[in-house]
Amino acid sequence: MSASADKAPKVLPALRAAPSAARYLLVGALVNQMGAFLQTFLVLYLVHKGLGASLAGAALGAYSLGAVLGTLAGGELTHRLGPRTTIALSMAGSALLVSCVPLLSGPGHAPVLIAVTALTGAVAQAYRPAASTMLSDLMPEEHRVMAFSMFRIALNVGAALGPLIAFWLITVDWDLLFWFDGASALGYAVLALAVLPGKRAPAADGPAPAPAAVADADAVPVVSSRSVYGAMLRDVRFVLYLASMALMAVVYVQYTVALPLELNADGLTSTYSVALTLSSAVLITCELAVTARVKGWPAHRVAGAGTVLMTLGMAGYGLASGSTVVVLLCTTVFVSGLMTNGPTMFAYPATARQAVKGRYIGTSQAVFGLGSALGTVLGEAVWRRTGDGVWLMCAAAGVASAVCAFLGMRGLAPEPAAAEDKAPAHS
């Protein structure tokens, strides 16, 4: 074994370094994701209730729009209320709202149903910036990227177990999907209040302090929203990073938009299920090891190389020509790219200073959500009009994303964070 391999960061030290609060946070995310059925099954549920595909599509679009706004709001609430309170309010509100969906699934409730699904998307996704902020505060700086990889693993495990639970619930009663969804969200809210810390690290440039040294959340200065978002827009590097996230989302979402359309047209519908299973298995079993291998590399190189790799896999679907073997090979390449760039790119905003970190994380996640929504519309339209032209679109967007990531993620932290000390406090 080479010396460089001996010095490579390992998975177990990161797991041992995670305090109990971080582990509770990951368990809560897994439990919540395991019951997060609204977005996945909303269309099928509403069609089953006889409300029609057009209403179902409108409701899902409303949820997606609400989710984008919710991530931005979550970043703000994280700074105003603290991460634990934001997580608890988000999950408790989500539990209440998602439980109302079965009550509104009858005829004559369409406008209210769409409004409730939009509000549910906003409330349910507000927890993500708070959870990411708390996780980055709890973990030592040298394990921060690994912590985000753990977070992604928890979400993927929950997403893998969820459909199995959903299948059983549907055989009993479709409405149970949303009762279970509400129960899992409420469980996360209770867990947050019971075991997550109500304190967080004070604003600092260095590594996150040990849990015993953290200050009360009220001691963290609240910076005005206008100054923070203005600083983001003035920082060319961070804008390039956001552009990379949006373009990456356009490519990523074709895995659930253009690929199933393509495989269905080729008579390979069952292959899509195999590809989904393969991708989940690879992500769950390999991502931590991949993150441990690359997390010591410069962030811009990891992000650029991983984005190129996932783009190669996605563009390769255009060469499948009805071959299951090629589809699965491309899926492996695509997922390898996601494992390489994902933890680093999603952890990058967490390097911002404490008093603006939640807003940076929330903005990054909201931009990714906007890219996903745009990619959904573009992917369906381009595939319908050009067929394999959608894979050329993916190649162009992926290369542009890699270039933006390489140029934008140079350096140790987003530059606008330096403007924090000069920004006036919010009164």
Side-chain angles (χ1 to χ4, degrees):
M1 182 178 294
S2 65
S4 60
D6 291 336
K7 296 178 181 180
K10 300 295 191 298
V11 175
L12 289 180
L15 293 174
R16 285 194 291 265
S20 58
R23 296 172 186 171
Y24 288 134
L25 185 68
L26 296 174
V27 170
L30 187 154
V31 171
N32 178 61
Q33 186 66 28
M34 195 165 56
F37 297 138
L38 182 61
Q39 187 174 16
T40 307
F41 290 95
L42 181 61
V43 171
L44 291 176
Y45 175 78
L46 295 180
V47 171
H48 171 76
K49 290 290 186 177
L51 297 182
S54 59
L55 175 60
L60 183 60
Y63 180 93
S64 299
L65 178 60
V68 172
L69 298 176
T71 53
L72 285 173
E76 281 294 318
L77 291 173
T78 297
H79 285 284
R80 297 177 184 275
L81 303 178
R84 183 181 69 172
T85 301
T86 301
I87 292 172
L89 288 176
S90 171
M91 291 295 96
S94 174
L96 175 63
L97 289 167
V98 77
S99 299
C100 292
V101 172
L103 305 178
L104 300 172
S105 60
H109 298 300
V112 179
L113 176 64
I114 291 176
V116 168
T117 53
L119 186 59
T120 304
V123 173
Q125 295 304 312
Y127 93 94
R128 286 188 179 247
S132 297
T133 299
M134 178 177 282
L135 187 62
S136 69
D137 290 345
L138 291 170
M139 291 295 290
E141 185 178 3
E142 64 271 20
H143 297 306
R144 183 177 289 149
V145 173
M146 184 65 72
F148 276 82
S149 185
M150 295 175 189
F151 190 56
R152 285 159 52 88
I153 292 293
L155 294 177
N156 282 320
V157 171
L161 295 176
L164 300 177
I165 298 173
F167 176 77
W168 176 76
L169 293 173
I170 288 171
T171 61
V172 179
D173 189 333
W174 277 80
D175 289 347
L176 287 176
L177 284 175
F178 303 108
W179 305 131
F180 187 90
D181 192 336
S184 64
L186 185 61
Y188 195 6
V190 172
L191 181 70
L193 292 174
V195 300
L196 295 184
K199 302 175 183 243
R200 64 184 181 188
D205 291 330
V214 298
D216 186 65
D218 293 336
V220 178
V222 178
V223 184
S224 69
S225 301
R226 181 179 300 178
S227 64
V228 174
Y229 295 120
M232 288 183 193
L233 294 176
R234 291 192 298 271
D235 189 300
V236 175
R237 289 192 305 154
F238 195 71
V239 170
L240 284 171
Y241 160 77
L242 293 177
S244 176
M245 289 290 284
L247 290 166
M248 183 178 74
V250 170
V251 176
Y252 170 80
V253 79
Q254 303 315 317
Y255 187 64
T256 58
V257 177
L259 182 60
L261 292 173
E262 179 84 4
L263 295 180
N264 183 64
D266 291 339
L268 297 175
T269 304
S270 60
T271 299
Y272 185 58
S273 297
V274 177
L276 288 175
T277 303
L278 173 65
S279 63
S280 296
V282 173
L283 281 168
I284 292 170
T285 58
C286 300
E287 181 165 316
L288 285 176
V290 172
T291 302
R293 176 61 56 183
V294 305
K295 84 180 191 74
W297 300 358
H300 64 288
R301 294 182 182 177
V302 174
T307 304
V308 168
L309 193 59
M310 66 172 280
T311 300
L312 288 174
M314 185 62 68
Y317 287 127
L319 305 176
S321 299
S323 171
T324 297
V325 173
V326 175
V327 169
L328 297 182
L329 176 61
C330 290
T331 297
T332 303
V333 175
F334 169 69
V335 172
S336 297
L338 287 178
M339 291 188 295
T340 301
N341 70 353
T344 296
M345 293 191 73
F346 280 94
Y348 183 66
T351 61
R353 292 185 182 183
Q354 186 67 47
V356 297
K357 185 189 298 185
R359 290 173 180 142
Y360 274 77
I361 292 174
T363 299
S364 169
Q365 294 178 355
V367 167
F368 188 85
L370 282 173
S372 298
L374 177 62
T376 299
V377 176
L378 280 177
E380 189 277 333
V382 173
W383 183 85
R384 179 164 35 86
R385 294 179 182 179
T386 68
D388 285 345
V390 70
W391 310 119
L392 294 176
M393 181 194 77
C394 287
V399 170
S401 176
V403 171
C404 288
F406 189 85
L407 296 177
M409 293 179 66
R410 289 176 178 272
L412 297 178
E415 188 65 25
E420 172 191 344
D421 294 335
K422 301 178 182 178
H426 180 77
S427 59

